[in-house]
Amino acid sequence: MGRIFEKIINSSSGFFITGTGTDVGKTYFSAILLKYTKGLYFKPIQTGTSDITVVKEMTKLNENYFSEACYHFNDPVSPNIAAERENRVIEIDNINLPDSREHKLLIVEGAGGIYSPISDKHFMIDLIQKFSLPVVIVAEDILGTLNYTILTYKALIDIGCNVAFIVLNKYKPSGYNYRCLNEIINKPILRLPYYNNFPGADEIKGVINESI
């Protein structure tokens, strides 16, 4: 692969980080990418515990690398339900990208998967389409990943989104997901191994440079 991920990251001004579902590693990879690039992290819609706090703890970066959410709800549920419980409505027209000109890269993290509803009219995929950023799909290396990843990829491609690459989180060298996804989807796949603790700068550079 050479240093294809390094080249993709360095040639872009931003990415939208989505996932094949909830808890597959979107926030974790966003922290990896933030630590690697010293960019700007932005999660426009947050439900439950703040992912900004989680990413800060992992990366040890200060406030300058974070932009506040447009909507933050207390309950850790689907955005439309979280808003409903607080008698609020998420208006997609009111969600705009922050000014990231002082940063190398804008890292936008979605909530849930691409069809996570944000209102009775819109889904997360509509926000992805509005922002027009290259998309990174995060999937966990488990049973079912092939189906979830291919469905997500095809849905994004069908509406004209640019999928930059796929991240296979908690990569298992003995598994088959990496090989099969390479055969089915014509996109680079970043193998992100499991770490007991958040990786240091050298480990992150090694993953990005495919030296695992």
Side-chain angles (χ1 to χ4, degrees):
M1 292 290 266
R3 293 190 170 183
I4 188 169
F5 297 105
E6 183 181 45
K7 292 174 183 175
I8 292 171
I9 291 167
N10 288 339
S11 65
S12 180
S13 60
F15 295 102
F16 193 108
I17 313 299
T18 191
T20 55
T22 302
D23 293 331
V24 295
K26 293 189 304 296
T27 302
Y28 185 72
F29 178 69
S30 294
I32 293 279
L33 194 56
L34 182 65
K35 186 76 172 181
Y36 180 73
T37 64
K38 301 298 188 295
L40 180 67
Y41 174 82
F42 175 52
K43 182 150 186 171
I45 303 173
Q46 176 72 64
T47 65
T49 303
S50 172
D51 285 330
I52 284 182
T53 301
V54 174
V55 175
K56 281 180 182 176
E57 290 174 354
M58 286 191 283
T59 62
K60 309 301 182 187
L61 295 173
N62 63 38
E63 297 287 342
N64 295 332
Y65 298 94
F66 300 89
S67 183
E68 289 299 319
C70 299
Y71 292 94
H72 190 175
F73 305 100
N74 292 324
D75 286 348
V77 295
S78 174
N80 63 323
I81 300 301
E84 180 183 282
R85 290 178 179 178
E86 296 184 20
N87 295 313
R88 299 166 64 189
V89 176
I90 298 173
E91 299 286 353
I92 196 170
D93 291 340
N94 293 337
I95 304 176
N96 297 299
L97 294 174
D99 185 349
S100 60
R101 286 175 293 183
E102 296 182 1
H103 298 268
K104 182 179 178 181
L105 190 78
L106 176 61
I107 301 163
V108 182
E109 182 188 347
I114 61 171
Y115 275 103
S116 177
I118 61 179
S119 69
D120 59 355
K121 298 178 180 179
H122 295 106
F123 299 89
M124 193 57 58
I125 196 169
D126 296 309
L127 193 59
I128 294 173
Q129 191 171 35
K130 175 183 176 178
F131 287 164
S132 296
L133 291 171
V135 182
V136 176
I137 301 171
V138 179
E140 188 176 348
D141 195 358
I142 57 174
L143 182 64
T145 287
L146 295 177
N147 179 59
Y148 305 144
T149 307
I150 294 165
L151 284 172
T152 300
Y153 174 76
K154 286 187 175 295
L156 290 166
I157 293 300
D158 284 348
I159 64 167
C161 292
N162 171 24
V163 176
F165 59 92
I166 295 166
V167 175
L168 193 56
N169 187 34
K170 298 182 181 178
Y171 167 67
K172 300 179 182 67
S174 60
Y176 54 79
N177 285 322
Y178 176 74
R179 175 179 62 82
C180 289
L181 287 173
N182 262 316
E183 293 171 353
I184 297 167
I185 298 176
N186 187 28
K187 289 292 177 181
I189 302 170
L190 178 67
R191 297 167 292 171
L192 183 58
Y194 174 77
Y195 293 99
N196 288 321
N197 299 302
F198 190 75
D202 288 342
E203 289 174 305
I204 292 173
K205 187 175 180 180
V207 170
I208 299 297
N209 290 342
E210 280 284 273
S211 56
I212 63 171

